[in-house]
Amino acid sequence: MNMEGAAEWSALSADEVERRVTRLLAAHAASLSRLARAYVKDQADRDDLLQDIVVAIWRALPRFRGECSERTFLFRIAHNRAIAYITRRRHHTIEVSEEMEIQDARPNPEEALSSEQQGRQLFDAVQRLPLNHRQTVTLMLEGLSYSEIADVLGITETNVGARLTRARQLLRKLL
Amino acid sequence: MHEPDAELEGWQRQWQSQDAVPPDLVTAVNRGTRRMRQGIVWEVAVTVVMGGGALAWAAMFPRSDVFVLSTAVWVFIGIAWIASTLLRRGAWHPLATTTAAFIEISILRCERNLQALWIQAVLYVVISTFNLVWIYEYQARTSVIDFLVEPIVIGFLAVVTPALAGIWWWYRRRLRREHANLVSLREQTSG
């Protein structure tokens, strides 16, 4: 850990917090938005969740002492707020259980999907994954390493590897 | 040497190409943090007004009935604060904890909130009973029966109390549903 970085974070005025949050959002807003989309289908609900995440980051920032990377800090908060959000809703995303037979949803191979369509298809597939796989996959797709994913979720790297292996099998069936 | 994973890299490209962000996000954050500060001020203001008001009233009108009421106000405030502190122990919610720890603490907080509902219900009955007895002993000039059929008493017992009970029951159902969802999430994420 960079001790100078830790000292820098530990004494933040309100204006500094606002500047830090603005800087963090400029760098990571798209990632947070994609993560919200992985948990919630409806656009209005996604916007609510995203604002919830950002407010939580704002509240947590003054207590951040650099004990993990900035990205780990953000993704922990984002996943935690997403969990809090979906547990308070009566209905949340219908998930594919691992035992269900998954119909081959792949399109006719002769039809080339646009990049935009492929992206939407990937999001739809991720939204249908069981929660433990969905959490791991979204972090993998954001480019986090096994150790970073383990750090965010509070599980071992071995567990991360096992979840990702199974998640990829499910994604291949859904895509 | 690490072999390139073409499938994963392809998925990552598709995933990260989706980057729509609400344009007013920072504005919404400013609004949200202002609301948070207002909420904290409101909680303190209610305690100060009720407790401070009771003290001021006792100082201005040094009578036995006023003394009894202001003492009771502070006793009830004390009981509420003690219960709140005890229920919060071990349930501090660091926002940036790991997801696994977050789910555990959320379950604990849900259970504590359910306990708090029962404490609030008991306190409501005790405080309401005290208030009715105090009003009858120090303010009413009628028999018990005539006192109980006064419009304001009937309104309180037959309208206000059932309405609050209905809200209590609705909130308790919502908390139980949230608890069940969290326990289910814990089972899903433990694999």
Side-chain angles (χ1 to χ4, degrees):
Chain A
M1 184 195 324
N2 183 333
M3 295 306 292
E4 289 174 357
E8 187 187 3
W9 280 105
S10 66
L12 297 179
S13 67
D15 286 342
E16 285 177 53
V17 170
E18 182 168 346
R19 275 197 295 275
R20 300 276 188 184
V21 169
T22 305
R23 181 182 65 76
L24 285 171
L25 287 183
H28 299 287
S31 295
L32 297 177
S33 178
R34 289 191 291 265
L35 188 146
R37 190 173 164 185
Y39 279 91
V40 182
K41 277 183 176 288
D42 180 72
Q43 179 67 53
D45 287 344
R46 282 209 298 272
D47 290 347
D48 277 348
L49 172 56
L50 192 51
Q51 290 180 18
D52 204 23
I53 290 170
V54 176
V55 170
I57 291 169
W58 190 295
R59 288 171 58 197
L61 208 49
R63 287 189 295 274
F64 181 57
R65 297 290 178 263
E67 57 272 10
C68 59
S69 72
E70 208 170 78
R71 209 158 61 150
T72 299
F73 170 76
L74 289 179
F75 279 118
R76 277 184 185 176
I77 293 174
H79 274 283
N80 291 345
R81 295 321 303 164
I83 285 171
Y85 192 89
I86 64 175
T87 54
R88 285 185 195 133
R89 294 297 183 274
R90 193 186 298 267
H91 306 288
H92 46 93
T93 311
I94 295 169
E95 293 177 354
V96 174
S97 73
E98 296 202 35
E99 291 74 31
M100 281 171 64
E101 283 295 315
I102 299 171
Q103 302 284 346
D104 189 337
R106 286 171 293 186
N108 188 326
E110 292 171 358
E111 295 172 3
L113 289 178
S114 69
S115 175
E116 175 71 20
Q117 287 172 315
Q118 286 177 335
R120 275 203 303 273
Q121 195 176 48
L122 178 59
F123 265 97
D124 288 342
V126 168
Q127 284 172 350
R128 296 181 66 198
L129 291 175
L131 184 67
N132 55 343
H133 297 322
R134 196 184 333 161
Q135 289 180 327
T136 323
V137 157
T138 53
L139 294 171
M140 174 192 72
L141 291 171
E142 289 295 336
L144 272 69
S145 66
Y146 274 36
S147 90
E148 285 175 313
I149 294 173
D151 207 10
V152 170
L153 300 180
I155 58 177
T156 63
E157 287 186 41
T158 307
N159 205 340
V160 171
R163 286 192 192 185
L164 281 177
T165 300
R166 185 59 185 136
R168 289 178 70 161
Q169 289 169 356
L170 289 172
L171 273 181
R172 283 187 204 111
K173 286 185 184 178
L174 289 166
L175 289 171
Chain B
M1 179 156 221
H2 178 68
E3 290 285 331
D5 187 333
E7 180 186 62
L8 175 58
E9 287 171 9
W11 284 347
Q12 284 176 332
R13 272 197 304 276
Q14 291 170 22
W15 178 264
Q16 293 175 25
S17 70
Q18 309 281 310
D19 58 0
V21 178
D24 59 347
L25 201 51
V26 176
T27 310
V29 166
N30 284 327
R31 268 204 311 272
T33 50
R34 272 201 302 276
R35 270 202 302 270
M36 263 174 1
R37 288 190 210 107
Q38 287 162 8
I40 292 166
V41 167
W42 175 247
E43 284 175 12
V44 172
V46 166
T47 303
V48 166
V49 164
M50 286 184 63
L55 274 180
W57 193 27
M60 282 168 22
F61 303 99
R63 302 191 315 252
S64 60
D65 58 334
V66 174
F67 174 76
V68 166
L69 184 61
S70 67
T71 303
V73 166
W74 276 103
V75 167
F76 293 137
I77 287 176
I79 292 171
W81 274 107
I82 290 169
S84 174
T85 303
L86 287 174
L87 286 170
R88 269 198 227 115
R89 75 191 189 287
W92 171 242
H93 222 177
L95 289 158
T97 187
T98 64
T99 305
F102 179 85
I103 292 175
E104 289 299 330
I105 298 241
S106 296
I107 290 171
L108 177 64
R109 282 165 65 95
C110 219
E111 289 164 354
R112 294 281 177 83
N113 284 339
L114 284 165
Q115 292 167 8
L117 276 181
W118 284 109
I119 293 173
Q120 286 161 10
V122 168
L123 269 179
Y124 177 81
V125 170
V126 168
I127 290 172
S128 300
T129 305
F130 170 83
N131 285 340
L132 288 172
V133 169
W134 185 89
I135 292 171
Y136 177 75
E137 285 293 327
Y138 292 106
Q139 308 291 321
R141 300 285 182 267
T142 61
S143 67
V144 174
I145 301 296
D146 288 341
F147 172 69
L148 288 175
V149 300
E150 284 189 14
I152 194 167
V153 176
I154 288 180
F156 175 74
L157 291 175
V159 176
V160 172
T161 296
L164 290 176
I167 294 168
W168 181 92
W169 190 254
W170 167 82
Y171 188 60
R172 180 171 176 268
R173 281 186 59 191
R174 195 179 115 164
L175 274 178
R176 284 166 61 92
R177 187 170 61 239
E178 187 178 328
H179 184 264
N181 284 342
L182 282 166
V183 169
S184 170
L185 279 178
R186 179 171 61 185
E187 288 163 10
Q188 288 177 46
T189 55
S190 62

